[in-house]
Amino acid sequence: MDRIDSSPRLAVDADGVGWITFDDPERSLNVLDAGVMARFGECLDRARQEAVAGRLRALVIESGKPDSFIAGADIDAIAEIEGPDDGEAKSRAGQELYLELESFPAPTVAAIHGLCLGGGLEMALACRYRLCSDHPRTRLGLPEVQLGILPGWGGTTRLPRLIGLQAALDLLLTGEPIKPSKAKRIGLVSEVVPHPVFRDRVADFALEALTLPQGASRPERSFFTRLLDDTVPGRLTVLATARKRVLEKTGGRYPAPLKIIAVLRKALGRSVGEAMALEARAFGELTSTPTHANLVHLFHLREAARKTAVAVPDGTPAEVERLGVVGAGVMGGGIAQLAAFRDVSVRMKDIRDDAVAGGLRHAQGLFDKAVERRKLRPEEAERKMALIQGGLEWNGFHSADLVIEAVVERMDVKKAVLAEAEGVVGPDALLATNTSSLSVDEMAEALDRPEQFCGVHFFNPVHKMPLVEIIRGARTSADTVATAHAFAVALGKVPVVCADGPGFLVNRILGPYMNEAGHLLADGASIEAIDRAATDFGMPMGPLRLMDEVGLDIARHAGATLHEAFGERLAPATPLEALADTERLGRKNGRGFYRYDERGKESGVDPDVLAELGNAVPRHGDEVPDNDEIRQRLVLAMVNEAARILDDGIVRDAGSLDLAMIMGTGFPPYRGGLLRFADAHHPRSLVDMLENLAARHGPRFTPAPLIRRLAEEDRGFYAAFGGGR
């Protein structure tokens, strides 16, 4: 018998059911590190001895945690793998242990309650049966691809054999966890059990398994699905289609999904042992890629950002159960829907009935889409939508824990709204502004309790964009920041704490980036070439397409704010100024640098835009910027501004800035972040490149003082400011 505090431990009950229980006393989640895996092997050996002796009739693997099974392998241990051979050896070791589980002489049952990810799901796949609870926290997934690797303990091999190639590729290539209902539908689990009776049902099932026929029974499948999954030509077609889609989506920049497809193709017609050898070798190769290192770096940044005690060590968060939203536009409706989705009661207010109705319609539409995508059942969506109430009065706001204003971007209006709200809410309630560019400190001047006020800047669309900037004003208390931060985490967002300043963090960096696109137009680069250089670098869209998406009027307003704050280095480029004299607003009115149809779908560069810009763009030129110059100017404009942001104390570390850029702008995750990418170049190289650009294009490229200091000190951004591993 194992000590009660060891993990895992083995116990055999009076019915002859063995229970291997994972319950790490030092962690909130069960993680498979080297010590845990060694103890699991010992438990398996003892269980085998008990089974041979006739004292153990069935074996169950369970978790002692209240809402998680096994969260996967130890990420730090994976990051410490030394080369492809070491990675392959570690993969083979895990495979061999799970083969011992697979060949166990009695029925084996994985009792999945809560999170079951990565190596935890691979362990479950090695069991003969899998049952999972219907608890809201139960999710099953193989997220390894999001770390730039593949499931290397048999998951890449076993999953397609269990549920079919098409369903397996969906899990393997996205890394997204699935709900119990889908797991049952695709044949990943045998039963979904109500969580209050889960353990009792598992115990009964373990005894029933003694008489069940061996071998998995897949759910009923269509003829077409069987044709693709069960024939070699069909599988080749599925894999070829998957590869094409991966290349279209990633441009081949992420090696892991392509490697998964290659392994599955090579494994066609081979034995399980041969397939696992291919899997192990591929795992080792992927652990040595820069992409893997950068994605692990991003994982650590995200995990740290979600810990309020780390992000705001001097503050104590309060719980937010009731939210008030002032301003029922698309942003206000989006914030209300997000909160209600997470079971927070919301009261929404505006000054017009049609605005309130519009905000409620927007929220309802988002819930309808969640039902269409099977993220919610219809009755769940209806219940959550009922949490949102709207009106013209302040009714209900007196009991709000937090009120977020999302009204028009005018300082006078925001001050008036916030002051009025402060007079309505309770004395402990917090106020926040969703402004994207206006000063939090200036707004605080209108309040009697400025210490209970901060910025909570959601990005549009609220339900999709993961980043929330938490703006700490000069008089904002630590407890207020901590509460806003914890609330953002509870909403499923990635919060980054910033100091107040023009553009805060993300928009301040995007300002020079988009403005440089205007300067490139003035220098003769085409719209297509500018945006292609950015997307070739890995950005989700080019800067000109981004301006269309944001709205040319909004981008112009933000640019004017930055110009006023920082002077001539951010003076608007001539072509962008010329756009002010046109009626182009971007996607929202169908005309910007690109054209858009009635549904807002982009249909190519608008051929008339250059004519409207007139003399702001040249018609002919001998020295048109090439792809390399375009990319260099766009990226270095961001790096230079990021250095100034660090110097100004807008964020405390390089990691927070990089996380914000990835989560807020889609800066390519495989590059690890803007400053991690910059650190791949010596700071003296950055100074040389910037000085060269300054000599050719003007003082806006003058190296930031911080970059010059780093060059003198022979240090990178992360060495000087930390924030990463």
Side-chain angles (χ1 to χ4, degrees):
M1 185 70 64
D2 290 304
R3 285 176 49 191
I4 195 68
D5 62 348
S6 64
S7 178
R9 58 182 180 269
L10 171 67
V12 182
D13 66 21
D15 293 319
V17 177
W19 299 81
I20 294 180
T21 305
F22 287 81
D23 192 1
D24 190 332
E26 298 180 356
R27 287 172 165 160
S28 60
L29 298 173
N30 292 315
V31 175
L32 300 174
D33 60 23
V36 170
M37 292 291 277
R39 288 191 292 275
F40 177 56
E42 294 168 1
C43 287
L44 267 184
D45 288 342
R46 291 201 297 276
R48 185 180 294 271
Q49 293 168 12
E50 294 291 305
V52 171
R55 293 187 291 270
L56 186 150
R57 304 164 64 201
L59 180 65
V60 175
I61 297 175
E62 65 165 357
S63 168
K65 302 293 184 186
D67 56 7
S68 67
F69 179 64
I70 298 173
D74 183 359
I75 303 299
D76 291 336
I78 296 173
E80 291 170 1
I81 289 174
E82 298 178 353
D85 292 341
D86 185 35
E88 181 177 3
K90 286 182 167 58
S91 174
R92 293 295 295 172
Q95 290 177 351
E96 289 166 8
L97 181 56
Y98 285 3
L99 284 168
E100 289 292 316
L101 174 61
E102 187 175 51
S103 64
F104 194 78
T108 51
V109 182
I112 302 169
H113 172 74
L115 287 177
C116 176
L117 303 176
L121 182 53
E122 290 183 283
M123 182 184 293
L125 288 170
C127 292
R128 192 181 301 176
Y129 305 103
R130 286 153 298 282
L131 271 65
C132 72
S133 80
D134 67 350
H135 191 276
R137 290 292 303 276
T138 300
R139 293 289 186 275
L140 301 86
L142 294 168
E144 285 85 350
V145 71
Q146 297 178 359
L147 295 175
I149 53 177
L150 53 70
W153 288 347
T156 304
T157 299
R158 286 192 179 94
L159 188 65
R161 286 166 166 76
L162 176 67
I163 65 173
L165 185 59
Q166 295 176 85
L169 282 171
D170 185 42
L171 270 71
L172 290 167
L173 297 181
T174 67
E176 294 298 324
I178 59 174
K179 290 182 175 182
S181 56
K182 182 173 182 178
K184 177 68 167 63
R185 190 167 66 249
I186 65 178
L188 181 55
V189 300
S190 302
E191 291 184 18
V192 177
V193 182
H195 64 273
V197 297
F198 180 63
R199 199 175 193 277
D200 290 340
R201 174 56 189 149
V202 169
D204 291 342
F205 183 90
L207 295 175
E208 293 170 11
L210 295 169
T211 59
L212 292 176
Q214 293 196 26
S217 57
R218 291 186 189 171
E220 194 67 32
R221 298 173 297 152
S222 68
F223 170 77
F224 187 65
T225 299
R226 294 198 309 273
L227 180 67
L228 291 176
D229 275 351
D230 299 344
T231 68
V232 172
R235 291 171 186 164
L236 289 172
T237 299
V238 169
L239 292 170
T241 302
R243 189 176 191 278
K244 180 180 178 182
R245 288 175 179 169
V246 166
L247 288 172
E248 288 174 352
K249 185 175 181 180
T250 70
R253 301 181 186 94
Y254 294 83
L258 295 174
K259 185 72 76 174
I260 289 170
I261 294 168
V263 166
L264 293 176
R265 192 186 189 289
K266 290 177 184 177
L268 290 177
R270 301 199 183 193
S271 68
V272 169
E274 291 172 322
M276 285 197 178
L278 291 169
E279 176 186 302
R281 186 60 193 165
F283 177 85
E285 291 170 351
L286 288 170
T287 59
S288 299
T289 63
T291 298
H292 166 60
N294 285 334
L295 293 177
V296 169
H297 166 73
L298 175 58
F299 170 83
H300 286 306
L301 292 180
R302 291 188 64 165
E303 289 301 298
R306 291 191 177 104
K307 297 175 181 176
T308 300
V310 174
V312 197
D314 52 343
T316 301
E319 192 168 356
V320 175
E321 296 179 343
R322 293 171 296 277
L323 176 70
V325 178
V326 187
V330 171
M331 182 62 73
I335 295 170
Q337 189 271 341
L338 176 66
F341 187 91
R342 299 284 175 158
D343 294 322
V344 176
S345 296
V346 184
R347 180 71 186 182
M348 189 163 50
K349 180 192 182 304
D350 210 298
I351 58 174
R352 301 191 330 271
D353 282 321
D354 60 331
V356 173
L360 292 172
R361 275 197 309 272
H362 182 62
Q364 182 66 66
L366 293 174
F367 278 123
D368 291 343
K369 288 180 181 177
V371 171
E372 289 174 15
R373 295 170 183 167
R374 296 185 174 181
K375 292 184 179 296
L376 288 176
R377 294 191 298 271
E379 60 272 19
E380 288 178 314
E382 184 177 356
R383 177 183 64 78
K384 291 175 184 289
M385 183 63 201
L387 293 172
I388 307 175
Q389 302 295 319
L392 304 183
E393 305 300 329
W394 290 100
N395 299 336
F397 276 76
H398 66 280
S399 62
D401 302 304
L402 170 66
V403 173
I404 300 176
E405 71 78 13
V407 300
V408 64
E409 283 284 282
R410 281 180 46 188
M411 180 61 74
D412 58 337
V413 175
K414 287 184 179 290
K415 280 185 171 182
V417 166
L418 288 166
E420 189 175 358
E422 187 181 42
V424 172
V425 300
D428 297 326
L430 305 184
L431 298 178
T433 174
N434 185 57
T435 184
S436 61
S437 60
L438 299 179
S439 170
V440 169
D441 285 335
E442 186 175 346
M443 287 183 217
E445 295 172 0
L447 301 175
D448 293 329
R449 301 190 296 271
E451 69 279 0
Q452 293 172 223
F453 173 66
C454 68
V456 180
H457 177 211
F458 291 89
F459 287 72
N460 195 31
V462 175
H463 67 292
K464 288 184 178 180
M465 296 297 288
L467 179 67
V468 175
E469 290 178 327
I470 308 295
I471 316 303
R472 186 174 195 164
R475 299 169 68 183
T476 306
S477 75
D479 288 351
T480 296
V481 178
T483 299
H485 184 280
F487 181 60
V489 172
L491 295 182
K493 297 300 184 182
V494 179
V496 171
V497 178
C498 315
D500 190 24
F504 309 133
L505 197 167
V506 168
N507 286 337
R508 179 168 166 184
I509 294 177
L510 285 181
Y513 170 70
M514 293 191 289
N515 200 39
E516 193 57 34
H519 286 298
L520 285 160
L521 278 175
D523 289 343
S526 68
I527 294 170
E528 299 93 332
I530 294 167
D531 280 356
R532 185 171 57 249
T535 55
D536 285 349
F537 179 75
M539 299 296 286
M541 65 180 67
L544 300 174
R545 176 71 178 80
L546 177 62
M547 277 189 262
D548 276 1
E549 191 70 23
V550 170
L552 294 176
D553 53 338
I554 294 173
R556 185 164 53 249
H557 172 73
T561 299
L562 293 175
H563 180 206
E564 181 181 355
F566 301 114
E568 283 308 298
R569 68 182 178 83
L570 287 180
T574 305
L576 302 186
E577 284 188 302
L579 280 176
D581 298 326
T582 73
E583 296 180 354
R584 294 178 181 272
L585 298 178
R587 189 165 70 90
K588 59 186 171 185
N589 78 339
R591 296 173 64 238
F593 290 102
Y594 295 81
R595 279 187 176 175
Y596 304 84
D597 62 22
E598 312 80 47
R599 297 169 298 171
K601 185 177 179 181
E602 184 253 300
S603 57
V605 170
D606 188 336
D608 299 328
V609 66
L610 294 181
E612 290 189 37
L613 291 177
N615 294 329
V617 293
R619 293 296 176 268
H620 304 284
D622 297 328
E623 296 186 9
V624 175
D626 62 17
N627 186 74
D628 289 341
E629 181 183 344
I630 294 171
R631 183 177 63 249
Q632 185 184 66
R633 286 170 61 175
L634 292 174
V635 175
L636 286 180
M638 291 192 287
V639 171
N640 215 20
E641 198 63 35
R644 297 177 188 276
I645 285 174
L646 283 175
D647 239 1
D648 291 346
I650 299 299
V651 286
R652 67 180 185 179
D653 58 70
S656 294
L657 188 148
D658 276 354
L659 183 65
M661 287 299 293
I662 292 171
M663 297 292 107
T665 74
F667 188 90
Y670 76 95
R671 295 191 182 277
L674 177 64
L675 296 181
R676 188 169 167 95
F677 171 75
D679 274 352
H681 303 79
H682 194 281
R684 283 196 293 271
S685 296
L686 296 177
V687 170
D688 290 344
M689 288 186 285
L690 286 165
E691 286 182 339
N692 180 268
L693 289 174
R696 294 165 53 206
H697 302 291
R700 67 181 182 275
F701 281 110
T702 299
L706 173 59
I707 297 180
R708 291 194 186 277
R709 293 202 306 273
L710 293 178
E712 293 170 359
E713 297 167 4
D714 196 23
R715 293 199 296 169
F717 288 104
Y718 273 85
F721 286 89
R725 299 191 185 190

